[in-house]
Amino acid sequence: MKHITPHELLTAADYEEQRIEIRRRIIDLKKRRRITVGEYVTLVFENRETVLFQIQEMLRTERIFAPEKIQEECDVYNELLPDEHELSATLYIEITDPDKIQELLDSLKGIDNPDIVAICIGREKIFANFEAGHSNEEKISAVHFVRFASTPNFRDQLAQASAQALLTIRHPNFQAEAPILDDMRQEWLQDLQ
């Protein structure tokens, strides 16, 4: 996907004026791009609109106005955009019981191994490639950035509504899957064009 440049951003005043409508639109968009897998894992698939919104919100929250700082934010958030023939998502491990957060996070160490999280469509399976630095043998982050490199067969299967699609997690301590609904398939097809 084409990277976002500072020239595409609204000014602080214009963003503030349009923010309610923009937020409403992005919330609707993210509903179509969000999938919950099991009790603790949610993925939100990113595109230019979701990333542009995150940049605008960061500039607003942090009161960033200097051109070089705005460029830095664009550079950081552009890393969330998928490359050609790729899907990208933010994976959240959501644990609401404060007494169990550390225990459950620790039990999910290794979720970022290359054969754990996958999208399966028909006979095609593509695995998540996790961004480095969010976990190690001693700790695991609750937020991860992942990429799924697609294949021509995967894209063909995705376009066939009759091909069953699932997002699966096959971790020794956490086994779950969720169906990919048509709204998300349509979003992915747009992303992969």
Side-chain angles (χ1 to χ4, degrees), residues 129-141:
N129 180 19
F130 283 70
E131 181 181 54
H134 293 273
S135 66
N136 58 39
E137 293 174 2
E138 297 169 13
K139 69 172 184 73
I140 181 171
S141 173

Side-chain angles (χ1 to χ4, degrees), residues 143-174:
V143 179
H144 296 266
F145 178 63
V146 299
R147 294 178 180 275
F148 296 87
S150 72
T151 64
N153 284 341
F154 176 88
R155 293 188 297 276
D156 290 344
Q157 290 290 312
L158 184 62
Q160 296 178 24
S162 61
Q164 182 185 24
L166 298 170
L167 203 148
T168 64
I169 300 174
R170 300 290 181 248
H171 183 277
N173 300 324
F174 186 77

Side-chain angles (χ1 to χ4, degrees), residues 92-137:
Y92 301 93
I93 301 172
E94 301 175 313
I95 303 164
T96 56
D97 183 344
D99 295 331
K100 293 189 176 186
I101 290 174
Q102 197 59 55
E103 172 190 344
L104 288 170
L105 272 177
D106 286 347
S107 76
L108 291 173
K109 287 178 189 168
I111 196 170
D112 56 342
N113 287 340
D115 58 348
I116 302 293
V117 179
I119 300 171
C120 308
I121 298 180
R123 294 177 186 219
E124 291 296 310
K125 184 183 287 192
I126 58 174
F127 287 97
N129 180 19
F130 283 70
E131 181 181 54
H134 293 273
S135 66
N136 58 39
E137 293 174 2

Side-chain angles (χ1 to χ4, degrees), residues 9-21:
L9 302 171
L10 296 171
T11 66
D14 288 344
Y15 184 66
E16 203 60 44
E17 184 177 299
Q18 299 175 41
R19 184 170 180 258
I20 291 173
E21 176 56 29

Side-chain angles (χ1 to χ4, degrees), residues 56-118:
Q56 291 279 184
E57 282 292 301
M58 183 58 70
L59 298 178
R60 177 183 184 271
T61 302
E62 298 293 325
R63 301 207 178 291
I64 298 171
F65 302 105
E68 65 277 3
K69 296 293 185 188
I70 292 171
Q71 182 62 58
E72 285 176 19
E73 292 301 319
C74 287
D75 293 344
V76 167
Y77 282 96
N78 276 327
E79 292 299 315
L80 299 178
L81 291 173
D83 289 330
E84 185 176 19
H85 303 307
E86 191 175 66
L87 299 170
S88 67
T90 305
L91 180 147
Y92 301 93
I93 301 172
E94 301 175 313
I95 303 164
T96 56
D97 183 344
D99 295 331
K100 293 189 176 186
I101 290 174
Q102 197 59 55
E103 172 190 344
L104 288 170
L105 272 177
D106 286 347
S107 76
L108 291 173
K109 287 178 189 168
I111 196 170
D112 56 342
N113 287 340
D115 58 348
I116 302 293
V117 179

Side-chain angles (χ1 to χ4, degrees), residues 19-34 44 50 53:
R19 184 170 180 258
I20 291 173
E21 176 56 29
I22 290 170
R23 283 188 76 237
R24 186 200 58 73
R25 192 178 78 248
I26 295 299
I27 288 168
D28 288 345
L29 175 64
K30 284 190 173 187
K31 283 180 187 174
R32 297 189 306 271
R33 300 182 70 84
R34 175 185 310 273
V44 177
T50 64
F53 175 72

